[in-house]
Amino acid sequence: MNIHLIGSLFALQIINVFSKIPHSFAKTGHSNNWAVLVDTSRFWFNYRHVANVLSIYRSVKRLGIPDSQIILMIADDMACNPRNPRPATVFNNIKQHINVYGDDVEVDYRGYEVTVENFVRLLTGRLQPETPRSKKLLTDEGSNILIYLTGHGGNGFLKFQDSEEITSQELSDALEQMWQKRRYHEILFIVDTCQASSMYEKFYSPNILAVASSLVGEDSLSHHVDPAIGVYIIDRYTYYALEFLETVEPSSTKTLSEFLKVCPKHYCLSTVGVREDLFRRDPKIVPVTDFFGALRPIELTSNIVNIVDFNKSNKTFLSQSKEKYKLISQFPNFSQYS
Amino acid sequence: MTDQEINDVIGHDSPMDQKCRIYASISFAVLLLGVGLPLWWETTAVPRVAIPYVGIRALDDLELHIHVRFLLGCLDTKNSQQLADELMQRLMDARFADIYRISLSHFGTTNTSIARAKTLDDLNKAAAGFQLNHGDILVLEAPAGLGENLIHVTSGRSIYFAQNTDSAKIAQVLCQWIYRDAALTLTKNALTEPTEYSLDVVNRRRFPVSSNYDVLLTVVNPEPELLQVDRNFSHIAQDYIDPFLEELSIIADFSIKSQWLYFLPLGVKPKEVPANNKFGRYFALSEDILPQVITPLEKKLASQVSLYPTINLVAYMVPCKSAPLHIFSRNGRRVNEKLDLEPFHSPRWGGIVLINPSAEFCKQAKANKIFKPPVNITTKVFLTHLRLLLGIPDKEEISRTSMAELSGLKPRDWEVDDLLRMRSVEQLTSAKLTLQSLARLLREISNIVITETVGGRIMRALELIELSAKLLNEGDLKGGFLASKEAFVMSEAAFTDPSLLALLYFPDDQKYAVYIPLFLPIMIPVLFSLKNIKNYLFCSDQV
């Protein structure tokens, strides 16, 4: 009896040890959020990919990532395509619930700028010095990055606009460069293509959680056709991901493990692949908003410095002087010279 | 036609003709194979400057022990020897030795002005006589004048201690406030092995190193039609913040901007609570929802126009109808109740202060009156934010130890030294990692172009890292810091140079696709003629 009791106590102890996650892992260490959203295909029959990427764009923006921290790479040839019966809209649903094009879409890389080279340059930070800030990924070792890719893929590659492709090796090397350069804290990598899981198989850098809409050998299927548009309008995985994200609020406590289950096999028809071994926190306790939102940690400022003999600088500034402003003529008067 | 005529017309090969033809073939072949091929090879090769791989690998063993000097002066020479020994022992057994090397010199102050000092001012005057450089610390035994405290830390580089102070106490002050060896070690480890170590709250707060920062002061007035705010308020940017940052100009280049934003609501709904104050109520904002205040604000701040990290300072004017707005911490109390201020900050982002108009002002607000926010206290809050975000943390209190108040906008000298040490370590470690990562990439992938610029930058960065480590080891903190800053900038520039990817997306097969059609039509006759040349030269009897 005694032995039994001690045994069960011991077992309880063990359970306790394993269920207790270290405090530092449960708490996030990130200080800012970024999103890199890429649609690698173009032309009208790929309408669904644009709807995919804009669905995610809409969600991260709604949940608080500012446009300056979202890099959106799409061909952007749908909203104003002559075949679009409702110009300036992109819908994710035949019932036209949600116009994912929204009111303000800020595309950073447009049209033929969506290339493998630009994508890798963006990730590794090797851009021309004259590149505007909106096209740069200015992350540091405290940044959580959401990378979402959609397009046409095969085993081990993802096609970029019919002319080139990025291999899974290239992608994982680029991510490793980012890690070595301390350009991220954690990455949530989502890819919605055929044979998507082949894209993350070669990853070897830490702190990456990868999700793929289909396993190797499977096709990632589209959700439904809108006869008015004439083509498939969204892919299954992203359709259900958006459905889930629409229920998330900036303050909500939904976790990543719930997000990983948004598309079970009878919805997606393909198997959603997840790679967790590189990620060091438990998805069950990581809030979705660690990647899809932008909640910055805050601290109350407690010890206000006390400053004695506190004088402002003696410099005079233009704004303080009592200068009168007057209108001057737009063109110089040359009459005095002639 | 005779045979003779036919021969003339057809022009049978004379030996002379044959010789000319062979020589022509030889000259073609020599030109093409001897000059053309090497030239083609040379011009299509990926230009790669030699990289000092050995030197970069040797950075792993780069020794960094910041050399600090400290001078110990006791009233009694005999005492000073004993205290010096004790202090050395206490400092060296900590993690201190990992990152620091100390040279301690001690002396007696029996017949000097120090021994005669009656007040702190006298001591300060006496201490001013010592030549102290960046990083040096003067520890003096004070004859009297410290009052109840055992130790007093000045705003210069000196520390006074009362007679009979325990050496453990002095060592504690030195480690905890002045040298901060634990923070330095953690910073270094977190950079080199991010999977093993992560920064603590204090060290995660400051901005990552950069050569430039932008400071953006934003005054938010959500209801300008109801609340007119004094336009001169934003002058605190030039009057106070600018001179403060000028004192820190050695660390980085700062540029300061200010802006006004209107019609920008708070984004969260505070709870109204009836209270016994002049308003008869207050609005409560809990600490937990403050992150949601920053999110909508961030979209409108336009900090994205700058290429450098931006330190945001936001003054939010609370409209009368939702005043007074108070922030409550998780345990339900107001943090700055005495100052009647509502400041908070976000690591690596900036600071926000909510400014409440007074009850008197709000009652007569219908008259066209201008609200003058309290400039002095707001400035103090912003300076607190800037100090925290740039890496001068709050010092944890030590019993019976006092610290000189800040006078003017200048940070204390030893705080600047601490900042220099911290950033030297960060910059050096970061530059080292950058170079090593780049070297690994360049060695593994052979078709990456290494231009002269990139090669030069790598060489320069490597030299500067070594120089900086040498200077720091020798005790030249300022020189070592400046070298590390340049090394950091150089290595960043080398790593992010766009030319590195220039040929990566120009595959090898395309090279052949371009050159083969050009060369093949010429090469085929030349290659065939080689056989004839061989026959002519070596088997001439058969011809």
Side-chain angles (χ1 to χ4, degrees), chain A residues 24-25 27-32 61-69 116-117 120-121 124-129 131-134 136 138 140-142 164 170 173 176-177 179-183 206-207 250-251 280 294-313 315 317 319-320, chain B residues 191-195 199 201 204-205 208 235 238-240 242-243 246 287 290-292 294-295 298-299 303-308 327-329 335-336 339 343-349 376 379-381 383-385 387-388 394 405-409 430 433-434 437-438 440-441 492 495-498 500-502 505:
Chain A
S24 60
F25 281 13
K27 253 179 87 175
T28 170
H30 79 287
S31 54
N32 55 61
K61 210 168 152 176
R62 190 177 59 81
L63 292 172
I65 304 186
D67 250 330
S68 56
Q69 281 164 224
V116 176
E117 180 175 341
V120 174
R121 277 184 189 278
T124 53
R126 296 198 171 100
L127 292 155
Q128 302 294 341
T131 314
R133 187 186 166 110
S134 60
K136 284 185 177 178
L138 297 167
D140 56 42
E141 81 272 16
E164 52 180 356
E170 267 176 288
D173 286 346
E176 174 64 14
Q177 283 269 297
W179 173 251
Q180 286 179 8
K181 194 67 197 64
R182 312 284 181 259
R183 275 170 69 81
N207 289 2
S251 55
R280 293 186 307 141
L295 285 186
R296 286 181 180 271
I298 67 110
E299 293 166 2
L300 298 181
T301 316
S302 50
N303 296 322
I304 307 295
V305 290
N306 192 20
I307 302 174
V308 289
D309 26 297
F310 180 59
N311 294 318
K312 66 178 183 184
S313 73
K315 284 192 231 161
F317 293 99
S319 53
Q320 282 168 310
Chain B
L191 263 175
T192 17
E193 290 161 81
T195 46
L199 291 177
V201 179
R204 203 186 288 142
R205 195 182 293 139
H235 287 171
Q238 305 139 358
D239 292 346
Y240 300 105
D242 193 25
E246 226 154 76
E287 185 183 348
L290 288 179
Q292 294 172 48
I294 297 184
T295 307
E298 204 176 1
K299 287 181 193 168
S303 54
Q304 66 269 23
V305 294
S306 148
L307 270 186
Y308 303 113
I327 296 173
F328 288 86
S329 67
V335 175
N336 287 296
L339 294 170
F344 61 99
H345 59 266
S346 171
R348 296 184 173 190
W349 184 81
N376 265 19
T379 308
K380 282 179 189 168
V381 170
L383 292 185
T384 310
H385 286 155
R387 283 167 59 91
L388 290 174
D394 284 338
E405 297 283 355
L406 284 169
S407 81
L409 295 165
S430 167
L433 290 171
T434 307
S437 165
L438 184 59
R440 210 174 309 154
L441 175 79
E492 287 293 300
F495 187 91
T496 57
D497 196 283
L500 288 175
L501 293 184
Y505 295 96

Side-chain angles (χ1 to χ4, degrees), chain B residues 32 89 94 101 114 119 158 165 190 228 255 275 313 336 483 518 530:
Chain B
L32 227 82
Q89 212 164 10
R101 206 153 50 87
I114 298 168
T119 59
S158 32
T165 309
Q228 283 197 52
S255 54
L313 298 174
N336 287 296
L518 263 175
L530 286 179

Side-chain angles (χ1 to χ4, degrees), chain B residues 256-391:
Chain B
I256 301 158
K257 290 176 259 181
S258 64
Q259 64 175 349
W260 288 74
L261 287 180
Y262 296 110
F263 303 109
L264 192 64
L266 198 56
V268 292
K269 209 165 161 50
K271 203 173 92 188
E272 187 174 350
V273 181
N276 190 16
N277 59 9
K278 283 178 190 160
F279 282 97
R281 51 129 207 249
Y282 64 81
F283 289 86
L285 209 53
S286 93
E287 185 183 348
D288 295 320
I289 58 169
L290 288 179
Q292 294 172 48
V293 173
I294 297 184
T295 307
L297 199 60
E298 204 176 1
K299 287 181 193 168
K300 305 282 178 187
L301 278 183
S303 54
Q304 66 269 23
V305 294
S306 148
L307 270 186
Y308 303 113
T310 306
I311 306 174
N312 293 291
L313 298 174
V314 181
Y316 183 88
M317 304 295 160
V318 179
C320 274
K321 69 171 190 216
S322 51
L325 188 58
H326 295 324
I327 296 173
F328 288 86
S329 67
R330 280 188 195 95
N331 48 26
R333 59 185 192 89
R334 286 179 66 195
V335 175
N336 287 296
E337 191 155 13
K338 259 187 240 154
L339 294 170
D340 199 26
L341 268 184
E342 312 299 336
F344 61 99
H345 59 266
S346 171
R348 296 184 173 190
W349 184 81
I352 299 185
V353 56
L354 310 177
I355 299 179
N356 289 308
S358 68
E360 292 80 26
F361 177 83
C362 280
K363 272 175 195 143
Q364 32 176 281
K366 283 195 185 81
N368 209 2
K369 218 177 135 195
I370 291 174
F371 173 53
K372 286 203 159 113
V375 169
N376 265 19
I377 190 71
T378 318
T379 308
K380 282 179 189 168
V381 170
F382 281 151
L383 292 185
T384 310
H385 286 155
L386 278 175
R387 283 167 59 91
L388 290 174
L389 294 166
L390 288 174

Side-chain angles (χ1 to χ4, degrees), chain A residues 19-227:
Chain A
S19 63
K20 201 171 159 195
I21 288 140
H23 187 61
S24 60
F25 281 13
K27 253 179 87 175
T28 170
H30 79 287
S31 54
N32 55 61
N33 282 82
W34 285 74
V36 179
L37 314 175
V38 191
D39 165 24
T40 62
S41 61
R42 59 186 298 145
F43 305 125
W44 180 246
F45 48 87
N46 291 320
Y47 184 97
R48 62 184 189 279
H49 294 149
V50 174
N52 285 350
V53 83
L54 287 175
S55 301
I56 303 294
Y57 175 80
R58 169 194 159 84
S59 303
V60 294
K61 210 168 152 176
R62 190 177 59 81
L63 292 172
I65 304 186
D67 250 330
S68 56
Q69 281 164 224
I70 304 174
I71 311 283
L72 183 60
M73 299 177 93
I74 53 173
D76 197 23
D77 52 358
M78 296 309 148
C80 298
N81 197 302
R83 293 197 219 175
N84 193 343
R86 289 171 200 82
T89 57
V90 174
F91 288 102
N92 77 321
N93 194 315
I94 190 170
K95 290 179 189 141
Q96 301 179 353
H97 283 318
I98 305 170
N99 173 16
V100 289
Y101 202 69
D103 298 324
D104 51 342
V105 174
E106 198 182 295
V107 182
D108 298 298
Y109 288 83
R110 185 187 296 272
Y112 290 109
E113 284 178 329
V114 186
T115 58
V116 176
E117 180 175 341
N118 278 343
F119 181 57
V120 174
R121 277 184 189 278
L122 173 82
L123 291 182
T124 53
R126 296 198 171 100
L127 292 155
Q128 302 294 341
E130 63 272 16
T131 314
R133 187 186 166 110
S134 60
K135 288 188 170 189
K136 284 185 177 178
L137 188 67
L138 297 167
T139 52
D140 56 42
E141 81 272 16
S143 308
N144 273 10
I145 312 179
L146 168 75
I147 300 180
Y148 175 88
L149 301 174
T150 182
H152 292 282
N155 193 353
F157 67 90
L158 174 63
K159 206 165 73 166
F160 266 68
Q161 297 206 348
D162 296 349
S163 56
E164 52 180 356
E165 63 258 353
I166 189 168
T167 60
S168 54
Q169 188 63 51
E170 267 176 288
L171 187 63
S172 44
D173 286 346
L175 293 178
E176 174 64 14
Q177 283 269 297
M178 290 177 75
W179 173 251
Q180 286 179 8
K181 194 67 197 64
R182 312 284 181 259
R183 275 170 69 81
Y184 70 80
H185 178 254
E186 282 170 338
I187 287 182
L188 175 62
F189 179 85
I190 305 175
V191 52
D192 186 354
T193 70
C194 298
Q195 317 208 36
S197 73
S198 65
M199 283 310 283
Y200 65 59
E201 271 169 2
K202 290 205 167 124
F203 286 178
Y204 55 98
S205 319
N207 289 2
I208 301 179
L209 180 65
V211 189
S213 64
S214 56
L215 297 180
V216 176
E218 284 180 340
D219 284 344
S220 188
L221 297 165
S222 50
H223 193 260
H224 61 275
V225 184
D226 182 352

